[in-house]
Amino acid sequence: MGDNLNELPRSVIRIPVAGPKPNNTLVFVRGFIAQPSVVDDDLARTWVTFDTLFRIDGFLQRKADEYLQNTRISMTAYTENLAQVDDGAFVGAVDEVEGYLTNDGALKGKALIADMDTKVELTLGFYFSAWVLTYEPRAAEFPKPDPRKWGIRQKGQLNEEMSRGRRTDHDRVTIVKDGCHAEPAANSLRLEKYFADRALRRAQGASSTSGHPKRRRKNYEGEEGG
Amino acid sequence: MTIQLNRINSDQVKSWQYIETTLIDPNRRLHIMSGIAIPAWEINDDSKIYRDLCEVRLGVTLPDFIQATCQVGLASVSNGESSFLFALDEAWVEPDKTSGELILFVRLALNGEDSSLARFGFQIVALAGNRITGVSGHIRWARSLFDASQFTDGSKLASVTANLVERITPPQGFEFDKLTPLGGNAPGGDVHRDGDDFSMPYSFEHLPLGVPLRFTVNLSAGHFPFDCSPGQTSGPFTVLLTPTHVSESVDFRVSQNNVVR
């Protein structure tokens, strides 16, 4: 599995959920717990830490307490493979497992592995599956640029301004902010001119489509009508 | 013979971790339970395959249970140098018909000399409605009895235990109630000043339906005067939750040598 990006969509699934607040994301993660082969007559129990492919998007270290308080992890582990090269008594076990977050928002796990083998080499492998309930900022929650400063029009804003018969001046000038120059969007100006012309034509009693070459209606014989 | 395990017993289920989440659909909740069950099943015979059923009581009661899926896998096996077989043939989750508590059923199979199927891992995803069973309330005491102004965390002062009630009728003598803790105390919440009193909340969730329950308060040593005792001031003495009555409120008051009930 390792660090291959191809494995990510196969092993990590994010599901939007409603809570409990502030959590908004439920994540399923699966993966393997690497375990070396053993040849040991005595039963040995060892805590093994392992990486997972999941890392909290937008993790903020300064909010570590909140992640610790609210994030929930539910993890279990199973035997993935068990092999011997010859007859021999053996024990292969994952006795306990638990997940935890690292200081950079990654999910790691630790498992209590027990193994014993007499005479011959025992190969053991385990896999885990985990669910994580946590908070990840969503695209809609990122701060948006201020439309009053950057000439960006909100949906319906243009018609609202036109209907009130006033225009804002800030999108007619070059805006300087933090050393960056931003020209007002050319498309929005063209669109504004079109709407203004159309409103004028309507006021003069003209057809709403006759003045625009692309909107001229044609009759069923393909002749342009007035 | 069925192997019966209960997740509240850490000798029977390790690594228990439970997540409850509210979904975008406001009428449903998702419950996720993980752990490693310890059937500790051993045999010493490689001439035939032994089969058994393991029941794991999960301690989660969902009155509006809809659906559940589970995944299980071998976690701990051993063999004493013979042919062997370890198998988890079938697994499913069902609510108990009486109490509504979720139970994981796993069919096990085992073969071999000195063979053991000691543990298996499980993960359960259950879908249910919003209602959850529970009992909540407050523990109150007078400021003159114990000034808890220095405390905000009530868990250091007292906790509440939920007990199963069983009426015992001995052959001779009086009948009495035997209390068996359900496992896991509800620590007190934040301590609040309420006039001349202090109070702190507690709550239990996912209590079983259809079984009599009684709640007892345990005071931490070293805070309240030694001759204090808690008594119940409101709510039924024995609580019986049902599918139509899934929650109850029970309050207590700590007073000096004065048991209210």
Side-chain angles (χ1 to χ4, degrees):
Chain A
M1 180 172 289
D3 50 4
N4 187 342
L5 185 60
N6 285 325
E7 195 57 42
L8 197 62
R10 298 177 196 153
S11 301
V12 179
I13 298 175
R14 287 175 160 85
I15 306 161
V17 293
K21 300 286 183 189
N23 296 314
N24 63 0
T25 307
L26 185 64
V27 186
F28 176 80
V29 194
R30 64 158 196 177
F32 293 101
I33 304 169
Q35 174 66 8
S37 300
V38 286
V39 183
D40 194 341
D41 286 355
D42 298 323
L43 183 65
R45 281 196 166 86
T46 314
W47 280 100
V48 175
T49 59
F50 54 93
D51 294 329
T52 77
L53 292 175
F54 173 64
R55 183 184 301 271
I56 296 175
D57 271 357
F59 178 81
L60 297 172
Q61 280 197 335
R62 64 183 163 84
K63 294 193 172 181
D65 285 346
E66 293 178 31
Y67 286 107
L68 288 172
Q69 191 174 351
N70 299 310
T71 298
R72 297 282 176 271
I73 301 166
S74 187
M75 178 183 280
T76 193
Y78 322 95
T79 305
E80 190 258 338
N81 65 69
L82 187 152
Q84 273 184 312
V85 295
D86 203 348
D87 293 348
F90 68 86
V91 174
V94 51
D95 284 337
E96 296 177 38
V97 67
E98 63 182 79
Y100 64 96
L101 293 177
T102 64
N103 58 11
D104 60 352
L107 175 69
K108 289 186 85 165
K110 61 177 184 178
L112 182 58
I113 306 288
D115 46 42
M116 181 274 286
D117 189 10
T118 58
K119 304 183 212 172
V120 289
E121 185 175 306
L122 175 71
T123 304
L124 268 174
F126 301 98
Y127 65 97
F128 72 89
S129 63
W131 290 82
V132 183
L133 179 65
T134 190
Y135 171 80
E136 289 188 338
R138 292 182 185 150
E141 295 167 357
F142 284 113
K144 296 173 182 173
D146 187 344
R148 293 170 303 177
K149 294 180 178 173
W150 294 92
I152 300 168
R153 292 195 174 278
Q154 304 283 2
K155 187 177 180 182
Q157 183 184 350
L158 185 66
N159 289 339
E160 188 184 345
E161 287 172 2
M162 292 297 292
S163 66
R164 285 197 304 231
R166 68 182 173 86
R167 291 176 177 170
T168 53
D169 293 331
H170 56 257
D171 56 358
R172 298 200 177 280
V173 298
T174 300
I175 302 157
V176 180
K177 184 179 186 334
D178 296 337
C180 298
H181 292 259
E183 296 292 342
N187 283 338
S188 75
L189 288 179
R190 273 203 300 274
L191 199 62
E192 188 175 358
K193 184 174 185 306
Y194 167 70
F195 279 111
D197 291 346
R198 192 177 69 169
L200 184 63
R201 284 196 301 277
R202 278 180 174 171
Q204 292 171 348
S207 163
S208 64
T209 56
S210 60
H212 197 291
K214 289 184 180 175
R215 293 285 179 89
R216 279 184 190 155
R217 286 185 295 224
K218 293 182 178 179
N219 62 24
Y220 68 95
E221 293 172 341
E223 296 171 348
E224 289 191 352
Chain B
M1 192 181 76
T2 303
I3 301 169
Q4 296 193 321
L5 308 176
N6 196 322
R7 72 94 178 154
I8 62 174
N9 186 337
S10 61
D11 291 334
Q12 297 177 1
V13 175
K14 286 280 186 194
S15 303
W16 168 259
Q17 296 144 57
Y18 171 60
I19 293 176
E20 178 182 347
T21 182
T22 48
L23 301 177
I24 304 296
D25 176 352
N27 299 314
R28 293 182 177 196
R29 290 181 187 222
L30 202 65
H31 302 260
I32 297 164
M33 292 147 260
S34 305
I36 295 178
I38 312 175
W41 188 26
E42 297 177 354
I43 61 160
N44 189 16
D45 184 357
D46 63 354
S47 62
K48 71 169 190 175
I49 297 172
Y50 291 78
R51 300 181 191 281
D52 212 337
L53 179 68
C54 181
E55 289 182 13
V56 185
R57 300 192 77 88
L58 299 168
V60 173
T61 300
L62 304 175
D64 301 319
F65 172 78
I66 298 171
Q67 188 183 9
T69 183
C70 61
Q71 182 175 351
V72 296
L74 297 170
S76 175
V77 292
S78 64
N79 174 260
E81 203 174 344
S82 75
S83 62
F84 58 79
L85 180 146
F86 311 103
L88 306 175
D89 285 331
E90 191 181 5
W92 69 99
V93 175
E94 275 181 16
D96 182 282
K97 289 180 176 58
T98 305
S99 69
E101 181 182 0
L102 291 187
I103 303 174
L104 169 66
F105 296 89
V106 183
R107 290 197 193 283
L108 315 174
L110 184 60
N111 165 270
E113 291 180 3
D114 289 328
S115 272
S116 164
L117 198 168
R119 299 178 190 226
F120 62 84
F122 65 86
Q123 196 158 61
I124 295 156
V125 179
L127 191 61
N130 274 332
R131 292 193 309 159
I132 56 172
T133 62
V135 167
S136 61
H138 286 82
I139 306 167
R140 292 187 172 83
W141 66 92
R143 187 185 178 193
S144 57
L145 194 68
F146 168 52
D147 188 344
S149 303
Q150 304 296 321
F151 290 86
T152 53
D153 181 9
S155 64
K156 293 172 182 166
L157 303 178
S159 63
V160 181
T161 303
N163 304 281
L164 290 172
V165 185
E166 189 181 359
R167 177 55 58 94
I168 304 293
T169 308
Q172 294 176 332
F174 298 104
E175 61 181 18
F176 62 94
D177 288 340
K178 178 186 173 189
L179 303 186
T180 307
L182 275 176
N185 293 337
D190 292 347
V191 179
H192 297 284
R193 181 81 183 270
D194 186 8
D196 288 336
D197 284 351
F198 285 95
S199 76
M200 61 182 184
Y202 75 93
S203 69
F204 285 93
E205 291 184 345
H206 300 299
L207 294 173
L209 301 172
V211 294
L213 301 169
R214 196 168 297 162
F215 296 84
T216 51
V217 175
N218 322 296
L219 300 178
S220 302
H223 299 298
F224 293 92
F226 69 93
D227 56 348
C228 281
S229 57
Q232 191 173 326
T233 55
S234 72
F237 192 47
T238 300
V239 175
L240 186 69
L241 302 176
T242 66
T244 56
H245 180 73
V246 298
S247 62
E248 190 59 81
S249 176
V250 176
D251 291 328
F252 298 91
R253 185 170 187 86
V254 182
S255 48
Q256 226 156 1
N257 291 328
N258 179 25
V259 179
V260 176
R261 272 188 208 254

